[in-house]
Amino acid sequence: MNSNLNSPPWVGAPVPGETVDRLLYASRSCVQGPVFKEMHRIRDHALQRNVADNVYAALSYQAGWFMEWMEGPSAGIQAVMRRLERDPRHRDLRVVHHSRGPRRLPEPWSMALRKDHEDPGDFERRLVALSESAGQQRLEPASVWRRLSMPLRGSGAAGRKESDLYQRVMVCSARGTQSFELVRWLGQAHHCKVTSQRLAGAQDNDVANDYVDVDGGPGAMLRRVVAMARNGLHIGLFQAFLPDYSHLVLLLCGDSKHDVDLINILVSACSRLSHRPVLLGLGGPGCDHAALRAVARNGGLVYLDCDVSDTADAKALWAAAEPALDFSRTTNSQW
Ligand SMILES: Cc1cc2nc3c(=O)[nH]c(=O)nc-3n(C[C@H](O)[C@H](O)[C@H](O)COP(=O)(O)O)c2cc1C
C-alpha cells in the first residue's frame, strides 16, 4: 500500500513471497433492518480482532446472503471462523473456497453491498454450482468473489456466466459524477441493467460504485464498464481487482490540479501491481494531455489521450473512448 493514499499506520504492503490461507464463505443473513448499518458494526469489531491476527477481510452482502473473503495465517483464519460460527446474525455458513497463496487484499477491511433484487434462492443455486466447479477449475479467491457477488448480466452474458473472459474497464471523473452518468447512458443505450453497489474501506464512509455489462455485438467481447467514485479508489476491495482492468478511463475536467490529482491516486494504487491497466484520458479542447502523460509515465503507467468535443455528453465520451478500448485488445492479454 502506498502512503500517498493516506493509509492508516497499521496498513502494510503485502510481504513479497508471503503465502497465506485464503478462505471464502457464504452465509444467510438473519439481520433484521438495515444490513449495511450492521456491517459497519461488524467492521468496528472485526478491525480490532482481525488485525491482531494479521487477517485481512472483505465482506459483502447481496440477495440475503453474506460473503466474506479472508486472507491471513491459518491460526488467525480459524480463530475468526470459530467466532463466526456462534454469531446469530447469520446461519447456514458454507465454505466456498479454501487455499493457500499470495495475499491479494491490500487492506485489513473492505465491504460491499450490492443493491439489486436477486432472489436468495437464485444466489444459492449459483453458490452450489460454483462450489461444485470451483475446485476443478482451481479458481482464485478473487474469481470466486467476482462470480458470486458481481455475476455477469446483459444479453451477451447467457452461457458465459462461468467465465472470466470479458473485458473490464473502469471510468472515473476528475471532478463531478460524469462517470456515473456515462454508465447510466450505456445501460439505456444497450438496454442493460445498471447494478449499484456501496463500497467502504477500513475507516471511511461508503461510496457509490455502478457497473453495466455491455455486449458489443457479434464477435465482440463482452465488456463490463464500472463507474467508481474518486474517494473510493483507495478501498482495498477495489484495489484487489485493479489488475483485472484493461483500461482506466479518466474523464478529465481541464483543471490541471484535479486532473493530476486523479492520475497520482491511480499511480499510487497501481504501484505494487505487475500488470497495470492503461490510462485513457478523455478531455475537452485545451486539456494538457502532454503534462498528464508525463505524470503517468513517471509513475510507470501508459497514458493514451483522447480529445472529446463535448465532455458533458455521455454519447460523445463513449464514441471517443470505445475505439481505443478495442484497439488495445491486441496489446492486453490479462482480461
Ligand atoms: C457476516 C459476518 C461477518 C463477520 N466477520 C467478522 C470478522 O471478520 N472478524 C471478526 O472478528 N468478527 C466478525 N464478525 C463478528 C463475529 O461473528 C463475532 O460476533 C465476533 O467476532 C465475536 O467477538 P467476541 O469473541 O469478542 O464476542 C462477523 C459477523 C458476521 C455476521
Side-chain angles (χ1 to χ4, degrees):
M1 240 342 243
N2 195 300
S3 57
N4 291 348
L5 297 177
N6 297 324
S7 311
W10 34 259
V11 176
V15 180
E18 182 195 24
T19 300
V20 292
D21 265 32
R22 294 104 45 98
L23 186 143
L24 211 140
Y25 74 83
S27 59
R28 280 180 206 268
S29 168
C30 302
V31 172
Q32 306 291 329
V35 179
F36 210 44
K37 222 169 165 179
E38 195 61 49
M39 289 168 73
H40 279 81
R41 276 194 278 272
I42 293 171
R43 171 175 80 174
D44 293 343
H45 185 88
L47 265 175
Q48 291 177 8
R49 301 294 299 266
N50 292 10
V51 170
D53 287 330
N54 203 13
V55 170
Y56 288 10
L59 178 66
S60 75
Y61 172 86
Q62 59 285 299
W65 287 77
F66 287 117
M67 196 164 70
E68 189 167 7
W69 166 13
M70 291 185 272
E71 295 181 343
S74 308
I77 302 264
Q78 282 165 25
V80 181
M81 290 303 278
R82 279 195 295 276
R83 294 201 291 281
L84 283 166
E85 277 161 10
R86 303 192 296 264
D87 197 315
R89 288 172 289 184
H90 65 168
R91 64 185 173 86
D92 198 7
L93 190 155
R94 306 172 193 188
V95 173
V96 194
H97 174 95
H98 193 184
S99 64
R100 278 192 75 76
R103 278 187 197 269
R104 185 141 171 186
L105 293 170
E107 255 204 346
W109 187 262
S110 312
M111 55 192 188
L113 178 131
R114 198 182 81 216
K115 295 196 280 185
D116 61 4
H117 299 290
E118 183 179 12
D119 182 77
D122 288 342
F123 181 88
E124 185 177 14
R125 271 185 283 283
R126 293 196 298 110
L127 182 66
V128 170
L130 191 73
S131 305
E132 282 167 1
S133 65
Q136 295 156 8
Q137 295 185 54
R138 293 176 173 272
L139 292 178
E140 284 290 298
S143 287
V144 177
W145 174 280
R146 190 172 41 229
R147 291 180 189 203
L148 284 174
S149 76
M150 300 175 280
L152 275 174
R153 292 180 187 280
S155 55
R160 305 204 222 183
K161 277 203 161 48
E162 292 304 313
S163 168
D164 285 334
L165 284 175
Y166 56 96
Q167 186 185 19
R168 287 169 277 274
V169 173
M170 188 205 72
V171 189
C172 190
S173 313
R175 206 154 57 169
T177 55
Q178 183 72 5
S179 55
F180 289 85
E181 281 144 39
L182 177 58
V183 164
R184 225 177 354 258
W185 175 82
L186 274 171
Q188 282 163 5
H190 290 267
H191 309 288
C192 300
K193 200 175 170 303
V194 173
T195 303
S196 294
Q197 296 191 114
R198 305 297 306 174
L199 288 185
Q203 298 182 308
D204 32 36
N205 294 330
D206 52 303
V207 298
N209 170 229
D210 288 359
Y211 63 86
V212 64
D213 294 332
V214 174
D215 189 359
M221 190 171 255
L222 195 62
R223 177 181 287 147
R224 171 165 293 176
V225 184
V226 182
M228 188 66 199
R230 276 178 311 285
N231 52 352
L233 297 175
H234 65 281
I235 294 175
L237 199 49
F238 166 74
Q239 295 201 7
F241 287 101
L242 254 181
D244 294 352
Y245 289 99
S246 66
H247 296 77
L248 308 180
V249 177
L250 316 181
L251 305 185
L252 304 165
C253 66
D255 174 328
S256 67
K257 182 187 170 330
H258 288 94
D259 291 345
V260 168
D261 277 357
L262 179 58
I263 293 188
N264 276 329
I265 293 173
L266 293 167
V267 163
S268 286
C270 293
S271 60
R272 63 193 171 79
L273 304 182
S274 51
H275 168 76
R276 298 173 179 187
V278 172
L279 302 188
L280 181 60
L282 265 60
C287 179
D288 190 354
H289 287 298
L292 299 173
R293 183 180 300 108
V295 175
R297 192 179 286 161
N298 283 341
L301 296 178
V302 173
Y303 179 95
L304 305 177
D305 59 74
C306 261
D307 288 322
V308 189
S309 49
D310 181 0
T311 53
D313 177 6
K315 191 175 177 182
L317 285 170
W318 193 245
E322 196 173 23
L325 303 177
D326 281 337
F327 169 73
S328 299
R329 282 180 182 191
T330 50
T331 58
N332 257 293
S333 56
Q334 276 223 21
W335 302 335

